[in-house]
Amino acid sequence: MKKLLTLFLFLAMLIITACGTSDQTDDQTGDTTEKKTLKVVTDAAYAPFEYLDKGELVGFDVDFIEAVAKEAGYEINIVNVGWDPVFVEVEDEIADFGISAITINDDRKQTYDFSVPYFLSTNKILVPENSDIKSAADLEGKIVAVQNGTTGADAIESLFGTNNSNIKKFENNNLAIMELLAGGADAVVADNTVIEEYVKNNPSEKLIVVEDTGSFEAEYYGLMFPKGSELKAEFDEAINKVFENGKYAEIYNDWFGSDPDIDNLKSQQ
Ligand code: ARG
């Protein structure tokens, strides 16, 4: 008898626990105040947007997305998966979205949905101080290091050909810069803020940044969602809130020491 009672109690507890779990699932759909944790993926080798500082994931994108997610009512877990996996994980819906200084463009829009733009960028050229490279055209016949699968790589490939052996492609941008420093490349093409910041922080390397507005277009970064994600609308709204409540300007100022042109970003929506 005692055994039967124990079994009964055990079963009753199982049922209660199971109900508890399904309640929690309801919470995650947003019915109550409990926050759902989203998986956010990045390639943390792109200072000052996302990088590792003594093992800690930091950067403008990190502060920005923390503020936006808070506004949207979500907890986030940012995972450093690397550049190519960002695209795979978002497409396969292993991650809820990606933030990684990702440029919104027509090609990517075929596979992903993007948030409203949150940052203006353009590709520029990083070269040694004494280089004779003064424009993108001057890169002809030179060894150019780029991060594989970026808009910088695309821009150089459309100028000099997709299979041009003078274009050295790396898995992340830090490796491309290291190749330049080691003398294995004459230039690196990457997002202006990233290479400008690198030059500023590494004066002993004697590098400069060359601009070529004729060859490199203005680009805008966005959060990258799986196609059809319902999160897009919620995050667009939250981004606009941080634009309006001063939080975006505060984070921008922390990282760049100047005020952002929010009107320009909003004009692109
Ligand atoms: N904005 C460029 C692109 O979307 C480069 C971004 C690279 N980002 C990174 N975290 N490595 O292609």
Side-chain angles (χ1 to χ4, degrees), residues 43 46 50 83 100-103 108 147 149-151 191 219 221:
D43 167 33
Y46 218 56
E50 44 268 326
W83 183 243
S100 206
I102 305 170
T103 299
R108 292 173 181 165
Q147 182 182 9
T150 58
T151 54
D191 291 358
E219 300 182 7
Y221 298 162

Side-chain angles (χ1 to χ4, degrees), residues 170-183:
F170 295 87
E171 194 181 311
N172 73 52
N173 198 59
N174 292 341
L175 294 174
I177 295 179
M178 278 166 63
E179 187 71 5
L180 175 70
L181 296 178

Side-chain angles (χ1 to χ4, degrees), residues 27-28 32-37 69-75:
D27 287 351
Q28 289 183 354
T32 72
T33 49
E34 192 171 316
K35 290 181 176 177
K36 184 185 173 185
T37 301
K70 194 167 168 210
E71 195 63 58
Y74 289 98
E75 299 280 357

